[in-house]
Amino acid sequence: VSAFLLNRSSDLERSVKSCIALGYQHWQQHLSDTFRGTFMYLLFSAVMFTSALISALMRAPKWLSIILLAVSLFDISRKVRRLSGEKETGKLGKKQIMSNLGYYLSFVCLSSVLRLCVICVISAPLLLLLYMYWLNYETMKAGDPSSLTTTYWVLIGLTAFDTSVAVRFIGTWTAYAELYVYGTMIARQQARKQAKAASLAS
């Protein structure tokens, strides 16, 4: 029996907030396994994101930066589901989204807000470096020479890389939370089918 469907009664009553909390707890309990299982994906994503940012700051063709950024944002939730052993829950849950659309959209909105807050906090050093770049750009428009040194480019590259790894890794908790959402939707669907079958039988 799926770990996300062990207690059917609690699944039926589970709110979006409780799914997110349970997903976070599950993520905390499996930090090392999740990191080891997604390390190569995180590394590749961070390299692509850093390359996209540096190429944009150095005025490379826009299409190159866009492609690199798009590649860096590839979805790793499937890998996380494989790590949890709940691929089947993910497949079944996706089939239930339309019949539980309001519930699922509530999860997407709330988890997105939480992720945005986390990203803003983690990205503060990178945003500060980007602000320095903007100030330098403004002074250059006024006719002054660039004050950015090699140290700046090394620092922003390392910061962008570290920020990307941290943001993507912390974001994996939503994949676990989504599994609880899927489990809840599946349990509700099963309960509806059983109620319908019972009414027909009577």
Side-chain angles (χ1 to χ4, degrees), residues 6 20 22 24 26 46 53 60 66 69 71-72 79 87 95 98 129 134 138 147 154 158 172-173 183 199:
L6 282 176
I20 290 176
L22 288 168
Y24 180 70
H26 190 90
L53 180 62
I66 293 172
L69 180 61
V71 172
S72 74
K79 176 62 177 177
K87 289 175 62 178
K95 296 178 181 178
M98 291 310 298
L129 289 170
W134 179 79
E138 290 297 310
S147 60
V154 172
L158 292 174
T172 57
W173 67 266
S199 64

Side-chain angles (χ1 to χ4, degrees), residues 86-106:
E86 297 297 333
K87 289 175 62 178
E88 190 63 26
T89 300
K91 290 180 181 178
L92 293 174
K94 287 181 178 180
K95 296 178 181 178
Q96 306 300 328
I97 288 177
M98 291 310 298
S99 57
N100 297 271
L101 190 58
Y103 181 76
Y104 185 75
L105 289 178
S106 298

Side-chain angles (χ1 to χ4, degrees), residues 131-142:
Y131 178 66
M132 292 172 60
Y133 177 89
W134 179 79
L135 289 178
N136 179 73
Y137 177 71
E138 290 297 310
T139 58
M140 287 178 64
K141 287 199 301 184

Side-chain angles (χ1 to χ4, degrees), residues 4-14 183-184 187-188:
F4 295 90
L5 292 170
L6 282 176
N7 190 329
R8 180 167 299 177
S9 61
S10 64
D11 277 332
L12 294 173
E13 301 167 0
R14 193 171 281 158
T184 302
R188 289 177 176 179

